[in-house]
Amino acid sequence: GAGVSQSPSNKVTEKGKDVELRCDPISGHTALYWYRQSLGQGLEFLIYFQGNSAPDKSGLPSDRFSAERTGGSVSTLTIQRTQQEDSAVYLCASSLYGAGPYEQYFGPGTRLTVT
Amino acid sequence: GNSVTQMEGPVTLSEEAFLTINCTYTATGYPSLFWYVQYPGEGLQLLLKATKADDKGSNKGFEATYRKETTSFHLEKGSVQVSDSAVYFCALSDQDTGNQFYFGTGTSLTVIP
């Protein structure tokens, strides 16, 4: 079946512009996660959705970052007024029910470059 | 709180050498433990998992045993191949303390012929 998809795969933007990153999780997965992976670094948790609600927004690095999920499916991560330090690979993952024994399935990521 | 501490890399081994990548964790509940692998140019994928103490996860010749007494989940493989070159991430999730997954910083493995 279809896995997690993300778009765009690459995004180059100028400093100060807004960007939207999209994630399509696996159908039927209730949990959706956003992470950021900087060059040579581990995964930085950004936000978690259970259904359409986001009980854990603790990882969002600033108020320039926001995310929403609609219909318990597609999610959009928005970064306003991008800065060069926002350059990274943004990963989305989905899981059947969230934490516990349920593995996460990762998308291929969106590579964001802020010039 | 919950956290994962993973052996720092990079690790370079010759083909057919024995591999151990150490992973220890801190958790307030009863977590499930995972190893994910990221091959060059690819996304993260699950390598193996264990959901309770003394469980052994295994896949592709890799093994890891959930040791509650030492809070460890070390990854091992008896004979590595060039195709095992990748970055390996240890992770935990704990339903009792929220729905976040906690990842280690990753260990880069290079296997040379």
Side-chain angles (χ1 to χ4, degrees):
Chain A
V4 178
S5 61
Q6 292 185 246
S7 61
S9 55
N10 279 285
K11 177 72 177 178
V12 181
T13 190
E14 292 181 352
K15 178 182 172 181
K17 296 286 178 76
D18 297 352
V19 295
E20 282 191 354
L21 312 180
R22 176 188 169 105
C23 172
D24 281 89
I26 292 173
S27 178
H29 280 195
T30 64
L32 186 147
Y33 300 78
W34 283 98
Y35 297 90
R36 179 166 70 176
Q37 186 177 28
S38 301
L39 188 63
Q41 301 299 308
L43 274 69
E44 176 187 4
F45 168 79
L46 298 178
I47 190 168
Y48 154 74
F49 287 92
Q50 183 64 46
N52 290 335
S53 64
D56 191 347
K57 302 180 181 180
S58 62
L60 294 177
S62 76
D63 59 7
R64 296 186 294 105
F65 288 71
S66 63
E68 64 175 15
R69 188 180 185 196
T70 55
S73 181
V74 172
S75 176
T76 303
L77 177 69
T78 301
I79 308 173
Q80 296 179 308
R81 305 181 302 282
T82 52
Q83 303 295 312
Q84 288 187 330
E85 61 263 28
D86 300 334
S87 296
V89 176
Y90 289 81
L91 296 173
C92 175
S94 71
S95 176
L96 188 58
Y97 293 123
Y102 310 105
E103 68 175 278
Q104 290 187 313
Y105 293 82
F106 282 84
T110 293
R111 182 175 298 278
L112 175 66
T113 303
V114 181
T115 61
Chain B
N2 297 327
S3 66
V4 174
T5 302
Q6 193 174 334
M7 178 173 124
E8 290 191 19
V11 174
T12 302
L13 294 174
S14 297
E15 206 165 22
E16 299 183 3
F18 184 86
L19 169 72
T20 300
I21 300 178
N22 289 338
C23 172
T24 56
Y25 67 89
T26 302
T28 52
Y30 298 92
S32 295
L33 302 173
F34 306 82
W35 277 101
Y36 283 82
V37 59
Q38 188 173 31
Y39 296 105
E42 298 184 17
L44 273 84
Q45 56 187 276
L46 180 70
L47 179 61
L48 53 84
K49 71 177 182 181
T51 59
K52 61 182 188 294
D54 300 324
D55 269 2
K56 177 186 285 188
S58 61
N59 186 25
K60 300 181 180 181
F62 290 88
E63 292 183 340
T65 301
Y66 187 160
R67 301 281 189 204
K68 196 170 191 304
E69 63 275 15
T70 54
T71 61
S72 65
F73 192 55
H74 304 321
L75 182 68
E76 297 182 335
K77 186 174 185 182
S79 176
V80 292
Q81 306 300 311
V82 172
S83 57
D84 295 326
S85 298
V87 181
Y88 293 83
F89 293 89
C90 185
L92 76 81
S93 72
D94 183 356
Q95 277 178 304
D96 295 333
T97 57
N99 280 303
Q100 188 182 145
F101 282 71
Y102 299 83
F103 283 83
T105 53
T107 301
S108 174
L109 170 67
T110 300
V111 180
I112 55 178

